[in-house]
Amino acid sequence: MNNNLKKYIAGAAVLSVAAFSAFLNGISAQAFSEEDKIKASDVIKIRQSIIGSVILTDDDYIRYDINEDGVINFRDFHAARALFLKDNELSELTGLITTTENSIIMPPGTVITDEDILPAVTSVPVTAPETTVTSPVTTTVQTTTVTTTTTTMPITTTEVTTTTVTTVTTPAVSYRPPSKRLDVDCIKQNPELPTGCEVTSLTMLLNHYGFGVSKVQLADIMPKFNFYYIGSELFGADFMTTFPGNPASGSGYGCYTPCMVTTAEKYFNLIGNDEYYLENLTGTDFDRLLSYVAADKPVLIWATISMIEPYYTTTWTTPEGNRVTWYANEHCLLLTGYDKNTGTVYVNDPLKGKTSYAMSVFKLRYNQMGKYAAVLSKKGEDVKLPEVEPPHNSSGESAVHRVGDVVQYSGTVYYSSYGGSTAEVSGTFTITEIVEDESRPYRIRLGTAGWVPYNF
């Protein structure tokens, strides 16, 4: 290259830098209102539109064409970044936006087309078991009574009285059995999805109902969002609705029920099925979930890896500006059975396979993680969940006490159904739990007060 050409290129570069600097300095602070300032999510979205991973709306296009040259390009990206940094009083203008991975970035709300993700997914579920609801049987019995009255007169009067008796036969109450176990094929998350326990468990649930989907296909359409640094601040997904990072990477995190509801909805839309949906059971008491299993419905449920204690770790900012902190050891499994007699739950664990855990510990972790759960339901389906059968006394007759009864009690309460420390109470209490094991001395729990003998 000759010297004159080098001088020309260098001069042009200087002029370009000067012109761009003048352009940035000329950006009006009034171009964006207080409610409409450039945010970190805007900077990221412009970059994504340039690399083709997201399509802008018409409103976004107008907003992000900052230099009004009719195209969205890196000049708009750098201008948006400069505005964001200026607004947040950050001085450095280079090297401020990085990504931890090279995979395609999918922010919350990204629209994914069938052609981009699942062109080959056309599986149609086999006919799911129908729920049969037995209606009350009404039997009408007609009784004719003939009464003959004879007087001293030679006249006989016959009166006919017709009585209609209506008998309503109420269907027998369905009680939850003390144990139940469903046969659900197990899928492990490794090696393809080292941090994809949620979509792997969802895959097991969908395939149990006859859908032919793979865990990798679901992971592709699951809402995901990679981490970014802007300055020294870490930005990442709101893990309630979006997976932070990539489930195919060991550095991914996890997500909760709303994210799985969205993933299932995307899948059903892609295959053209509008009958099924993932029903969000977040906040449901653990014992109530057992009734779903008893009704032949496996439960997508959140606990921890190997039931170890969870703890808080990394904190970051979502693109919406919220601060979130990750609860380490989060794990999603499929609840497939239980045994109240042995205090055991059976699960399909994406890490371990088919296994079991102590019910008391599993329930504790479920509660600690926030009571997140879901089941697959059919629109219009009316599932009659079985009730917990009340304890029986030694004669086999149904007990007089039931969960939910409000009772008067004065006397001693115990720390557990086995005994332990005691306290003296007096007042009105609600029965919150009744233990079926007659070998335990204290089988009824009075709210938070404690345990008392069954025949109190």
Short mmCIF file of all heavy atoms in Angstrom, two decimals, residues 287-344:
data_model
loop_
_atom_site.label_atom_id
_atom_site.label_comp_id
_atom_site.label_asym_id
_atom_site.label_seq_id
_atom_site.Cartn_x
_atom_site.Cartn_y
_atom_site.Cartn_z
N ASP A 287 -49.50 -31.90 50.47
CA ASP A 287 -50.43 -33.01 50.61
C ASP A 287 -51.50 -32.99 49.52
O ASP A 287 -51.99 -34.04 49.09
CB ASP A 287 -51.09 -32.99 51.99
CG ASP A 287 -50.13 -33.42 53.09
OD1 ASP A 287 -49.09 -34.02 52.76
OD2 ASP A 287 -50.41 -33.14 54.26
N ARG A 288 -51.84 -31.80 49.06
CA ARG A 288 -52.81 -31.69 47.98
C ARG A 288 -52.23 -32.23 46.67
O ARG A 288 -52.96 -32.82 45.85
CB ARG A 288 -53.20 -30.22 47.81
CG ARG A 288 -54.21 -29.94 46.70
CD ARG A 288 -55.59 -30.43 47.06
NE ARG A 288 -56.61 -29.95 46.15
CZ ARG A 288 -57.86 -30.36 46.15
NH1 ARG A 288 -58.25 -31.27 47.03
NH2 ARG A 288 -58.74 -29.87 45.31
N LEU A 289 -50.91 -32.06 46.47
CA LEU A 289 -50.28 -32.59 45.27
C LEU A 289 -50.37 -34.11 45.21
O LEU A 289 -50.45 -34.69 44.13
CB LEU A 289 -48.81 -32.15 45.20
CG LEU A 289 -48.56 -30.64 45.11
CD1 LEU A 289 -47.06 -30.39 45.02
CD2 LEU A 289 -49.28 -30.02 43.91
N LEU A 290 -50.36 -34.75 46.37
CA LEU A 290 -50.46 -36.21 46.40
C LEU A 290 -51.81 -36.67 45.85
O LEU A 290 -51.91 -37.76 45.27
CB LEU A 290 -50.28 -36.73 47.83
CG LEU A 290 -48.93 -36.41 48.51
CD1 LEU A 290 -48.87 -37.08 49.88
CD2 LEU A 290 -47.75 -36.84 47.64
N SER A 291 -52.83 -35.84 46.01
CA SER A 291 -54.14 -36.19 45.47
C SER A 291 -54.13 -36.18 43.94
O SER A 291 -54.87 -36.92 43.30
CB SER A 291 -55.22 -35.23 46.01
OG SER A 291 -55.42 -35.44 47.39
N TYR A 292 -53.30 -35.31 43.35
CA TYR A 292 -53.17 -35.33 41.89
C TYR A 292 -52.54 -36.63 41.43
O TYR A 292 -52.96 -37.24 40.43
CB TYR A 292 -52.33 -34.14 41.42
CG TYR A 292 -53.08 -32.83 41.37
CD1 TYR A 292 -53.09 -31.97 42.46
CD2 TYR A 292 -53.80 -32.47 40.24
CE1 TYR A 292 -53.78 -30.76 42.43
CE2 TYR A 292 -54.51 -31.27 40.19
CZ TYR A 292 -54.49 -30.42 41.29
OH TYR A 292 -55.19 -29.25 41.26
N VAL A 293 -51.51 -37.07 42.15
CA VAL A 293 -50.89 -38.35 41.82
C VAL A 293 -51.90 -39.48 41.95
O VAL A 293 -51.97 -40.38 41.11
CB VAL A 293 -49.66 -38.61 42.71
CG1 VAL A 293 -49.05 -39.98 42.42
CG2 VAL A 293 -48.61 -37.52 42.49
N ALA A 294 -52.71 -39.44 43.03
CA ALA A 294 -53.73 -40.46 43.23
C ALA A 294 -54.76 -40.45 42.10
O ALA A 294 -55.39 -41.48 41.82
CB ALA A 294 -54.43 -40.24 44.58
N ALA A 295 -54.93 -39.29 41.44
CA ALA A 295 -55.85 -39.17 40.31
C ALA A 295 -55.13 -39.44 38.99
O ALA A 295 -55.60 -39.05 37.92
CB ALA A 295 -56.48 -37.79 40.30
N ASP A 296 -53.97 -40.12 39.05
CA ASP A 296 -53.19 -40.53 37.87
C ASP A 296 -52.58 -39.36 37.11
O ASP A 296 -52.38 -39.44 35.90
CB ASP A 296 -54.05 -41.38 36.92
CG ASP A 296 -54.52 -42.67 37.57
OD1 ASP A 296 -53.73 -43.28 38.32
OD2 ASP A 296 -55.68 -43.05 37.36
N LYS A 297 -52.26 -38.28 37.83
CA LYS A 297 -51.65 -37.13 37.19
C LYS A 297 -50.27 -36.87 37.81
O LYS A 297 -50.18 -36.39 38.95
CB LYS A 297 -52.52 -35.88 37.34
CG LYS A 297 -53.86 -35.98 36.60
CD LYS A 297 -54.75 -34.79 36.90
CE LYS A 297 -54.30 -33.55 36.20
NZ LYS A 297 -54.51 -33.59 34.73
N PRO A 298 -49.18 -37.19 37.07
CA PRO A 298 -47.84 -36.86 37.59
C PRO A 298 -47.71 -35.35 37.77
O PRO A 298 -48.35 -34.57 37.07
CB PRO A 298 -46.89 -37.36 36.49
CG PRO A 298 -47.73 -38.27 35.63
CD PRO A 298 -49.13 -37.80 35.74
N VAL A 299 -46.87 -34.95 38.72
CA VAL A 299 -46.74 -33.53 39.07
C VAL A 299 -45.32 -33.04 38.79
O VAL A 299 -44.35 -33.61 39.28
CB VAL A 299 -47.08 -33.30 40.56
CG1 VAL A 299 -46.92 -31.82 40.91
CG2 VAL A 299 -48.51 -33.76 40.87
N LEU A 300 -45.23 -31.98 37.99
CA LEU A 300 -43.96 -31.28 37.80
C LEU A 300 -43.72 -30.47 39.07
O LEU A 300 -44.55 -29.64 39.44
CB LEU A 300 -44.07 -30.36 36.59
CG LEU A 300 -42.78 -29.78 36.01
CD1 LEU A 300 -41.95 -30.87 35.34
CD2 LEU A 300 -43.11 -28.68 34.99
N ILE A 301 -42.59 -30.70 39.75
CA ILE A 301 -42.42 -30.14 41.09
C ILE A 301 -40.98 -29.68 41.30
O ILE A 301 -40.04 -30.27 40.77
CB ILE A 301 -42.83 -31.18 42.16
CG1 ILE A 301 -42.87 -30.56 43.55
CG2 ILE A 301 -41.94 -32.41 42.12
CD1 ILE A 301 -43.53 -31.45 44.59
N TRP A 302 -40.82 -28.61 42.08
CA TRP A 302 -39.50 -28.04 42.36
C TRP A 302 -39.06 -28.37 43.78
O TRP A 302 -39.81 -28.19 44.74
CB TRP A 302 -39.51 -26.53 42.17
CG TRP A 302 -39.28 -26.09 40.77
CD1 TRP A 302 -38.14 -25.53 40.26
CD2 TRP A 302 -40.20 -26.15 39.67
NE1 TRP A 302 -38.30 -25.26 38.92
CE2 TRP A 302 -39.55 -25.63 38.53
CE3 TRP A 302 -41.50 -26.63 39.54
CZ2 TRP A 302 -40.17 -25.55 37.28
CZ3 TRP A 302 -42.10 -26.55 38.30
CH2 TRP A 302 -41.45 -26.02 37.19
N ALA A 303 -37.83 -28.86 43.91
CA ALA A 303 -37.22 -29.11 45.22
C ALA A 303 -35.74 -28.75 45.08
O ALA A 303 -35.42 -27.70 44.52
CB ALA A 303 -37.44 -30.56 45.65
N THR A 304 -34.83 -29.61 45.56
CA THR A 304 -33.40 -29.33 45.42
C THR A 304 -32.67 -30.58 44.94
O THR A 304 -33.20 -31.69 45.02
CB THR A 304 -32.78 -28.87 46.75
OG1 THR A 304 -32.91 -29.92 47.72
CG2 THR A 304 -33.44 -27.61 47.27
N ILE A 305 -31.44 -30.40 44.48
CA ILE A 305 -30.61 -31.50 44.04
C ILE A 305 -30.29 -32.40 45.23
O ILE A 305 -29.77 -31.94 46.25
CB ILE A 305 -29.30 -30.99 43.41
CG1 ILE A 305 -29.61 -30.16 42.16
CG2 ILE A 305 -28.37 -32.13 43.07
CD1 ILE A 305 -28.40 -29.46 41.57
N SER A 306 -30.66 -33.68 45.13
CA SER A 306 -30.42 -34.68 46.18
C SER A 306 -31.00 -34.25 47.53
O SER A 306 -30.57 -34.73 48.57
CB SER A 306 -28.92 -34.95 46.33
OG SER A 306 -28.39 -35.51 45.14
N MET A 307 -31.95 -33.34 47.51
CA MET A 307 -32.63 -32.84 48.71
C MET A 307 -31.67 -32.15 49.68
O MET A 307 -31.92 -32.11 50.89
CB MET A 307 -33.39 -33.96 49.43
CG MET A 307 -34.47 -34.61 48.58
SD MET A 307 -35.67 -33.44 47.91
CE MET A 307 -35.36 -33.61 46.13
N ILE A 308 -30.58 -31.56 49.16
CA ILE A 308 -29.67 -30.83 50.03
C ILE A 308 -30.17 -29.41 50.24
O ILE A 308 -31.03 -28.92 49.51
CB ILE A 308 -28.23 -30.81 49.47
CG1 ILE A 308 -28.21 -30.19 48.07
CG2 ILE A 308 -27.66 -32.21 49.43
CD1 ILE A 308 -26.83 -30.13 47.46
N GLU A 309 -29.63 -28.74 51.24
CA GLU A 309 -30.11 -27.42 51.64
C GLU A 309 -29.84 -26.39 50.55
O GLU A 309 -28.75 -26.31 49.99
CB GLU A 309 -29.39 -26.99 52.92
CG GLU A 309 -29.92 -25.72 53.54
CD GLU A 309 -31.23 -25.91 54.29
OE1 GLU A 309 -31.52 -27.06 54.68
OE2 GLU A 309 -31.94 -24.92 54.49
N PRO A 310 -30.83 -25.57 50.20
CA PRO A 310 -30.59 -24.49 49.24
C PRO A 310 -29.94 -23.28 49.92
O PRO A 310 -30.02 -23.13 51.14
CB PRO A 310 -32.00 -24.14 48.75
CG PRO A 310 -32.88 -24.46 49.93
CD PRO A 310 -32.25 -25.64 50.62
N TYR A 311 -29.32 -22.41 49.14
CA TYR A 311 -28.72 -21.20 49.69
C TYR A 311 -28.63 -20.15 48.58
O TYR A 311 -28.58 -20.47 47.40
CB TYR A 311 -27.35 -21.47 50.29
CG TYR A 311 -26.32 -21.99 49.30
CD1 TYR A 311 -25.45 -21.12 48.65
CD2 TYR A 311 -26.24 -23.35 49.01
CE1 TYR A 311 -24.52 -21.60 47.74
CE2 TYR A 311 -25.31 -23.83 48.10
CZ TYR A 311 -24.46 -22.95 47.46
OH TYR A 311 -23.55 -23.43 46.55
N TYR A 312 -28.59 -18.88 49.00
CA TYR A 312 -28.55 -17.79 48.04
C TYR A 312 -27.13 -17.58 47.51
O TYR A 312 -26.16 -17.69 48.25
CB TYR A 312 -29.05 -16.50 48.66
CG TYR A 312 -30.54 -16.50 48.88
CD1 TYR A 312 -31.09 -16.60 50.16
CD2 TYR A 312 -31.42 -16.40 47.80
CE1 TYR A 312 -32.46 -16.61 50.35
CE2 TYR A 312 -32.80 -16.41 47.99
CZ TYR A 312 -33.30 -16.51 49.28
OH TYR A 312 -34.65 -16.52 49.46
N THR A 313 -27.03 -17.27 46.19
CA THR A 313 -25.70 -17.05 45.60
C THR A 313 -25.68 -15.74 44.79
O THR A 313 -25.78 -14.67 45.35
CB THR A 313 -25.30 -18.23 44.70
OG1 THR A 313 -26.34 -18.46 43.73
CG2 THR A 313 -25.08 -19.49 45.51
N THR A 314 -25.61 -15.87 43.47
CA THR A 314 -25.38 -14.73 42.59
C THR A 314 -26.58 -13.79 42.50
O THR A 314 -27.73 -14.23 42.43
CB THR A 314 -25.03 -15.24 41.18
OG1 THR A 314 -24.02 -16.23 41.27
CG2 THR A 314 -24.53 -14.10 40.30
N THR A 315 -26.27 -12.49 42.49
CA THR A 315 -27.30 -11.46 42.30
C THR A 315 -27.03 -10.73 41.00
O THR A 315 -25.88 -10.46 40.66
CB THR A 315 -27.28 -10.47 43.47
OG1 THR A 315 -27.60 -11.16 44.69
CG2 THR A 315 -28.30 -9.35 43.26
N TRP A 316 -28.09 -10.42 40.25
CA TRP A 316 -27.93 -9.65 39.02
C TRP A 316 -29.16 -8.77 38.80
O TRP A 316 -30.16 -8.86 39.55
CB TRP A 316 -27.68 -10.55 37.82
CG TRP A 316 -28.76 -11.55 37.50
CD1 TRP A 316 -29.93 -11.32 36.85
CD2 TRP A 316 -28.76 -12.95 37.83
NE1 TRP A 316 -30.66 -12.47 36.73
CE2 TRP A 316 -29.96 -13.50 37.32
CE3 TRP A 316 -27.86 -13.80 38.48
CZ2 TRP A 316 -30.29 -14.84 37.45
CZ3 TRP A 316 -28.18 -15.13 38.61
CH2 TRP A 316 -29.38 -15.65 38.11
N THR A 317 -29.10 -7.96 37.76
CA THR A 317 -30.21 -7.07 37.40
C THR A 317 -30.86 -7.57 36.13
O THR A 317 -30.18 -7.93 35.17
CB THR A 317 -29.70 -5.63 37.18
OG1 THR A 317 -29.03 -5.18 38.36
CG2 THR A 317 -30.85 -4.69 36.86
N THR A 318 -32.19 -7.63 36.13
CA THR A 318 -32.91 -8.03 34.92
C THR A 318 -32.97 -6.84 33.97
O THR A 318 -32.80 -5.69 34.39
CB THR A 318 -34.34 -8.48 35.25
OG1 THR A 318 -35.11 -7.34 35.68
CG2 THR A 318 -34.34 -9.54 36.35
N PRO A 319 -33.21 -7.08 32.67
CA PRO A 319 -33.32 -5.95 31.72
C PRO A 319 -34.41 -4.97 32.10
O PRO A 319 -34.38 -3.81 31.69
CB PRO A 319 -33.63 -6.65 30.39
CG PRO A 319 -33.02 -8.00 30.52
CD PRO A 319 -33.23 -8.37 31.97
N GLU A 320 -35.38 -5.44 32.90
CA GLU A 320 -36.45 -4.53 33.34
C GLU A 320 -36.03 -3.68 34.54
O GLU A 320 -36.79 -2.84 35.00
CB GLU A 320 -37.69 -5.35 33.70
CG GLU A 320 -38.33 -6.09 32.55
CD GLU A 320 -37.56 -7.34 32.17
OE1 GLU A 320 -36.83 -7.89 33.03
OE2 GLU A 320 -37.67 -7.77 31.01
N GLY A 321 -34.83 -3.95 35.08
CA GLY A 321 -34.33 -3.15 36.19
C GLY A 321 -34.53 -3.75 37.56
O GLY A 321 -34.24 -3.10 38.57
N ASN A 322 -35.03 -4.97 37.65
CA ASN A 322 -35.25 -5.61 38.95
C ASN A 322 -33.99 -6.36 39.39
O ASN A 322 -33.28 -6.95 38.58
CB ASN A 322 -36.43 -6.59 38.87
CG ASN A 322 -37.71 -5.91 38.47
OD1 ASN A 322 -38.00 -4.81 38.93
ND2 ASN A 322 -38.48 -6.53 37.59
N ARG A 323 -33.73 -6.38 40.68
CA ARG A 323 -32.61 -7.12 41.24
C ARG A 323 -33.10 -8.48 41.71
O ARG A 323 -34.08 -8.58 42.46
CB ARG A 323 -31.98 -6.36 42.41
CG ARG A 323 -31.39 -5.02 42.05
CD ARG A 323 -30.06 -5.17 41.32
NE ARG A 323 -28.99 -5.59 42.22
CZ ARG A 323 -27.77 -5.91 41.82
NH1 ARG A 323 -27.47 -5.89 40.52
NH2 ARG A 323 -26.85 -6.25 42.69
N VAL A 324 -32.44 -9.56 41.28
CA VAL A 324 -32.83 -10.92 41.66
C VAL A 324 -31.61 -11.66 42.17
O VAL A 324 -30.48 -11.38 41.78
CB VAL A 324 -33.46 -11.68 40.47
CG1 VAL A 324 -34.76 -11.03 40.03
CG2 VAL A 324 -32.49 -11.75 39.30
N THR A 325 -31.83 -12.63 43.07
CA THR A 325 -30.75 -13.44 43.62
C THR A 325 -31.09 -14.91 43.43
O THR A 325 -32.21 -15.34 43.73
CB THR A 325 -30.54 -13.14 45.12
OG1 THR A 325 -30.21 -11.76 45.28
CG2 THR A 325 -29.39 -13.98 45.67
N TRP A 326 -30.13 -15.67 42.96
CA TRP A 326 -30.36 -17.08 42.65
C TRP A 326 -30.29 -17.94 43.90
O TRP A 326 -29.43 -17.76 44.76
CB TRP A 326 -29.35 -17.57 41.62
CG TRP A 326 -29.55 -19.00 41.25
CD1 TRP A 326 -28.74 -20.05 41.50
CD2 TRP A 326 -30.68 -19.54 40.54
NE1 TRP A 326 -29.27 -21.21 41.01
CE2 TRP A 326 -30.46 -20.93 40.41
CE3 TRP A 326 -31.84 -18.98 40.01
CZ2 TRP A 326 -31.37 -21.76 39.77
CZ3 TRP A 326 -32.73 -19.82 39.38
CH2 TRP A 326 -32.50 -21.18 39.26
N TYR A 327 -31.22 -18.91 44.00
CA TYR A 327 -31.28 -19.86 45.11
C TYR A 327 -30.61 -21.15 44.63
O TYR A 327 -31.20 -21.92 43.87
CB TYR A 327 -32.74 -20.11 45.48
CG TYR A 327 -33.01 -20.36 46.94
CD1 TYR A 327 -32.09 -20.03 47.93
CD2 TYR A 327 -34.22 -20.93 47.35
CE1 TYR A 327 -32.36 -20.25 49.27
CE2 TYR A 327 -34.49 -21.16 48.70
CZ TYR A 327 -33.56 -20.81 49.64
OH TYR A 327 -33.82 -21.04 50.97
N ALA A 328 -29.38 -21.38 45.08
CA ALA A 328 -28.58 -22.50 44.58
C ALA A 328 -29.17 -23.84 44.99
O ALA A 328 -29.86 -23.96 46.00
CB ALA A 328 -27.15 -22.39 45.08
N ASN A 329 -28.86 -24.87 44.20
CA ASN A 329 -29.31 -26.26 44.35
C ASN A 329 -30.75 -26.46 43.90
O ASN A 329 -31.32 -27.53 44.13
CB ASN A 329 -29.14 -26.77 45.79
CG ASN A 329 -27.68 -26.87 46.20
OD1 ASN A 329 -26.82 -27.12 45.36
ND2 ASN A 329 -27.40 -26.65 47.47
N GLU A 330 -31.35 -25.44 43.25
CA GLU A 330 -32.70 -25.60 42.70
C GLU A 330 -32.73 -26.79 41.76
O GLU A 330 -31.81 -27.03 40.99
CB GLU A 330 -33.08 -24.31 41.96
CG GLU A 330 -34.37 -24.42 41.16
CD GLU A 330 -34.14 -24.80 39.70
OE1 GLU A 330 -32.96 -24.83 39.26
OE2 GLU A 330 -35.13 -25.09 39.01
N HIS A 331 -33.82 -27.56 41.82
CA HIS A 331 -33.93 -28.74 40.96
C HIS A 331 -35.40 -29.02 40.68
O HIS A 331 -36.26 -28.88 41.56
CB HIS A 331 -33.30 -29.95 41.65
CG HIS A 331 -33.05 -31.11 40.74
ND1 HIS A 331 -32.60 -30.98 39.45
CD2 HIS A 331 -33.19 -32.46 40.96
CE1 HIS A 331 -32.44 -32.17 38.91
NE2 HIS A 331 -32.81 -33.09 39.79
N CYS A 332 -35.70 -29.40 39.45
CA CYS A 332 -37.07 -29.73 39.04
C CYS A 332 -37.16 -31.22 38.77
O CYS A 332 -36.28 -31.79 38.11
CB CYS A 332 -37.45 -28.94 37.80
SG CYS A 332 -39.15 -29.22 37.24
N LEU A 333 -38.20 -31.87 39.29
CA LEU A 333 -38.39 -33.31 39.15
C LEU A 333 -39.85 -33.60 38.77
O LEU A 333 -40.69 -32.69 38.76
CB LEU A 333 -38.05 -34.04 40.47
CG LEU A 333 -36.79 -33.64 41.22
CD1 LEU A 333 -37.10 -32.58 42.27
CD2 LEU A 333 -36.16 -34.84 41.90
N LEU A 334 -40.13 -34.87 38.51
CA LEU A 334 -41.50 -35.29 38.24
C LEU A 334 -41.95 -36.22 39.36
O LEU A 334 -41.38 -37.30 39.55
CB LEU A 334 -41.59 -35.99 36.89
CG LEU A 334 -43.01 -36.19 36.34
CD1 LEU A 334 -43.65 -34.83 36.04
CD2 LEU A 334 -42.99 -37.04 35.08
N LEU A 335 -42.95 -35.79 40.12
CA LEU A 335 -43.49 -36.59 41.23
C LEU A 335 -44.41 -37.65 40.66
O LEU A 335 -45.42 -37.34 40.02
CB LEU A 335 -44.24 -35.68 42.20
CG LEU A 335 -44.89 -36.34 43.42
CD1 LEU A 335 -43.83 -36.96 44.33
CD2 LEU A 335 -45.71 -35.30 44.20
N THR A 336 -44.08 -38.92 40.89
CA THR A 336 -44.82 -40.03 40.28
C THR A 336 -45.48 -40.96 41.29
O THR A 336 -46.22 -41.86 40.89
CB THR A 336 -43.90 -40.86 39.39
OG1 THR A 336 -42.84 -41.41 40.19
CG2 THR A 336 -43.30 -40.01 38.28
N GLY A 337 -45.22 -40.80 42.58
CA GLY A 337 -45.83 -41.71 43.55
C GLY A 337 -45.53 -41.32 44.98
O GLY A 337 -44.72 -40.41 45.26
N TYR A 338 -46.21 -42.01 45.89
CA TYR A 338 -46.01 -41.76 47.32
C TYR A 338 -46.44 -43.00 48.09
O TYR A 338 -47.19 -43.85 47.60
CB TYR A 338 -46.84 -40.55 47.77
CG TYR A 338 -48.33 -40.77 47.67
CD1 TYR A 338 -49.06 -41.32 48.72
CD2 TYR A 338 -49.02 -40.46 46.50
CE1 TYR A 338 -50.42 -41.56 48.61
CE2 TYR A 338 -50.38 -40.69 46.38
CZ TYR A 338 -51.08 -41.23 47.44
OH TYR A 338 -52.42 -41.48 47.34
N ASP A 339 -45.97 -43.09 49.32
CA ASP A 339 -46.39 -44.15 50.24
C ASP A 339 -46.45 -43.55 51.63
O ASP A 339 -45.42 -43.31 52.26
CB ASP A 339 -45.42 -45.32 50.20
CG ASP A 339 -45.96 -46.55 50.94
OD1 ASP A 339 -46.73 -46.36 51.91
OD2 ASP A 339 -45.61 -47.68 50.56
N LYS A 340 -47.67 -43.27 52.10
CA LYS A 340 -47.83 -42.66 53.42
C LYS A 340 -47.41 -43.61 54.53
O LYS A 340 -47.02 -43.18 55.61
CB LYS A 340 -49.29 -42.25 53.62
CG LYS A 340 -49.77 -41.19 52.65
CD LYS A 340 -49.21 -39.81 52.98
CE LYS A 340 -49.92 -39.20 54.18
NZ LYS A 340 -49.49 -37.82 54.43
N ASN A 341 -47.49 -44.90 54.28
CA ASN A 341 -47.14 -45.87 55.32
C ASN A 341 -45.65 -45.85 55.62
O ASN A 341 -45.24 -46.03 56.77
CB ASN A 341 -47.56 -47.28 54.89
CG ASN A 341 -49.07 -47.40 54.72
OD1 ASN A 341 -49.83 -46.86 55.52
ND2 ASN A 341 -49.51 -48.09 53.68
N THR A 342 -44.84 -45.67 54.60
CA THR A 342 -43.39 -45.66 54.80
C THR A 342 -42.81 -44.25 54.78
O THR A 342 -41.60 -44.08 54.98
CB THR A 342 -42.70 -46.48 53.69
OG1 THR A 342 -42.99 -45.91 52.41
CG2 THR A 342 -43.17 -47.93 53.73
N GLY A 343 -43.65 -43.24 54.52
CA GLY A 343 -43.16 -41.87 54.47
C GLY A 343 -42.22 -41.64 53.30
O GLY A 343 -41.15 -41.03 53.47
N THR A 344 -42.60 -42.10 52.11
CA THR A 344 -41.72 -42.06 50.94
C THR A 344 -42.42 -41.41 49.76
O THR A 344 -43.64 -41.57 49.59
CB THR A 344 -41.30 -43.49 50.54
OG1 THR A 344 -40.70 -44.13 51.67
CG2 THR A 344 -40.31 -43.47 49.39
#
